[in-house]
Amino acid sequence: NACLAEIDTLQPQLNLFTTVFKDRVLEEATRLPDGPLAGVTVAVKDLFDVQGVVTLAGSSIFSTNAPAAADSTVVRRLRRAGALIMGATNMDEFAYGFTTENSHYGPTHNPHDPSRVAGGSSGGSAAAVASGAVRIGIGTDTNGSIRIPAAFCGVLGLRPTLGAIPTDGSVLFAPSLDSVGLLTRSADDLRTVFSVLTNSATMQPEINALRVTRAGGELAQGATPEVLEATERIASALGAVGSLDLPAVGLARAAAIVITAAEGADQHQQLLRTSVDTLDPRTRGRFVAGMGVSATDYLAAQRFRRWWQHLMSSVLGQTDIVVLPTVACPAPLIDQEMIEIEGITLPKGAVLGRFTQPFSLIGLPALSVPVTVDGLPIGVQLVGRPGGEATLIAAATHLEAVGAIRAGRPAISVPPTRKTA
């Protein structure tokens, strides 16, 4: 009841949810299963199927669809662990965007400054966690859609290794890039939820044994001085040694953009034929551009992807974690179209995914940890090797312990075993 009351207060200010499951969650709270998430409040991005609820995926076109016949795998695993699914959160239409400025359902506002975006496309989930409306947020990350809103809203945001968490029962965007991701206010919460959603135990490696390095070259520039200084503070707190000048980063980002555009347009080509005028104008323009990607360009991007993955596997063999910014600057204002960085003014879409897209391309796990600059949150990104989520979470735990990042609410504790009558 307290959580629902908080949502009632925050929703008009921040526009976090497209649907709140009020009556349903009150009934479910009377018969919770024992589990590591028993009674923990969770918000899920409105592209995961919830049985009996219409999955909107940020689009008015889907509002007339039939309700989902079954829970998605993610929702089913959360329920089995005892979580309370409080509602479905706002997002960029079909997850194609970095800001959650949705023409159908309105923008989600940043809890730290409601005149600013919350990031996207999982902005509703990130803002719900940051504002205290819920304990845990679930979203997806194709090119940065967990990490960017995590950075702008001041929470932890994990994009796991591609395929670590099933996407069954969700509306896909770019299938070869989509990853289910998590948003929390503490590393312990992150560890618990990741274990639940992967059906695995997450061990915590010794932080002193980790090899940490900075990203150099292109990835050590292109952000505000304050962001770069904050990144260096986190690197130092983790004992980073030296830097890695990662090769072909610009080409990796270009390949990610080509693959995203082509696969996104392919996923929704029927809507482009039948309902193009009903799409959010931002989404429509991106999908139409995607329809223009040639097979030659798409295959060239995939060939580069394989080459870069092979190259990066060798480079990352020298380290456990690479530290770099998540975003180039704090959250822009809602409806702000241009961002100035280092004296150069660019469209915000060209700025926001700069540090996240290269690693999405090859499915690496990456965690954004929260740092505040001049009263606004930004994120520092920790990138690991495939399957290295436990290493990233251990690093976040250490950063919390030494006060380098500001965690939020108390961590999840496993409830005591209930006695039966």
Side-chain angles (χ1 to χ4, degrees), residues 225-235 323 371-373 378-380:
E226 295 79 10
V227 167
L228 296 177
E229 289 168 11
T231 302
E232 177 55 33
R233 289 199 303 273
I234 295 301
V323 183
V371 180
T372 299
V373 172
I378 58 102
V380 173

Side-chain angles (χ1 to χ4, degrees), residues 331-346:
L333 299 171
I334 291 172
D335 292 328
Q336 178 182 339
E337 295 301 327
M338 307 296 287
I339 295 176
E340 182 179 330
I341 301 290
E342 296 180 331
I344 300 173
T345 301
L346 295 168

Side-chain angles (χ1 to χ4, degrees), residues 98 118-122 126 140-160 177 179 181-183 324-327 352-353 355-361 364-369 378-383:
F98 286 141
S121 61
S122 306
T140 57
D141 187 310
T142 304
N143 284 298
S145 288
I146 284 284
R147 291 161 287 166
I148 291 168
F152 286 162
C153 290
V155 297
L156 289 94
L158 174 66
R159 176 203 164 94
L177 294 168
S179 180
L182 321 174
L183 297 142
L324 70 156
T326 306
V327 288
L352 297 185
F355 297 104
T356 56
Q357 286 173 303
F359 305 104
S360 302
L361 177 67
L364 295 179
L367 171 62
S368 181
V369 297
I378 58 102
V380 173
Q381 189 177 190
L382 313 179
V383 177

Side-chain angles (χ1 to χ4, degrees), residues 59-325:
S59 179
S60 64
I61 299 170
F62 280 11
S63 63
T64 57
N65 286 1
D71 286 337
S72 63
T73 299
V74 164
V75 170
R76 187 169 64 252
R77 289 181 179 179
L78 290 167
R79 290 195 196 283
R80 190 170 59 204
L84 286 167
I85 311 299
M86 304 302 294
T89 53
N90 197 20
M91 57 182 283
D92 290 286
E93 186 179 41
F94 298 123
Y96 209 162
F98 286 141
T99 59
T100 312
E101 294 172 284
N102 188 304
S103 68
H104 307 301
Y105 303 106
T108 292
H109 299 260
N110 193 308
H112 297 271
D113 178 353
S115 70
R116 297 177 183 271
V117 302
S121 61
S122 306
S125 292
V129 173
S131 66
V134 295
R135 183 78 164 268
I136 306 295
I138 307 297
T140 57
D141 187 310
T142 304
N143 284 298
S145 288
I146 284 284
R147 291 161 287 166
I148 291 168
F152 286 162
C153 290
V155 297
L156 289 94
L158 174 66
R159 176 203 164 94
T161 306
L162 186 68
I165 301 172
T167 57
D168 306 62
S170 66
V171 179
L172 295 176
F173 167 30
S176 76
L177 294 168
D178 292 345
S179 180
V180 176
L182 321 174
L183 297 142
T184 71
R185 292 187 294 262
S186 77
D188 278 350
D189 285 7
L190 199 61
R191 182 180 297 106
T192 303
V193 180
F194 182 73
S195 294
V196 164
L197 292 182
T198 55
N199 282 332
S200 64
T202 305
M203 306 302 292
Q204 183 166 329
E206 289 293 329
I207 187 67
N208 293 334
L210 299 181
R211 298 170 298 167
V212 182
T213 191
R214 303 163 180 82
E218 275 188 62
L219 296 175
Q221 54 191 335
T224 67
E226 295 79 10
V227 167
L228 296 177
E229 289 168 11
T231 302
E232 177 55 33
R233 289 199 303 273
I234 295 301
S236 297
L238 289 173
V241 177
S243 64
L244 283 176
D245 190 355
L246 304 180
V249 168
L251 289 174
R253 189 174 176 216
I257 291 169
V258 169
I259 293 169
T260 299
E263 292 188 3
D266 179 68
Q267 284 290 111
H268 299 289
Q269 58 179 292
Q270 184 62 33
L271 296 180
L272 287 167
R273 294 192 184 100
T274 62
S275 308
V276 65
D277 291 337
T278 312
L279 290 167
D280 184 313
R282 297 179 181 87
T283 311
R284 180 171 60 242
R286 293 162 186 157
F287 280 160
V288 169
M291 291 293 283
V293 174
S294 69
T296 300
D297 289 341
Y298 179 76
L299 292 173
Q302 291 287 16
R303 282 195 297 272
F304 174 86
R305 184 186 200 176
R306 291 189 293 273
W307 174 83
W308 205 64
Q309 187 165 32
H310 177 74
L311 184 65
M312 285 295 291
S313 66
S314 174
V315 170
L316 291 173
Q318 306 170 43
T319 190
D320 297 301
I321 297 174
V322 180
V323 183
L324 70 156

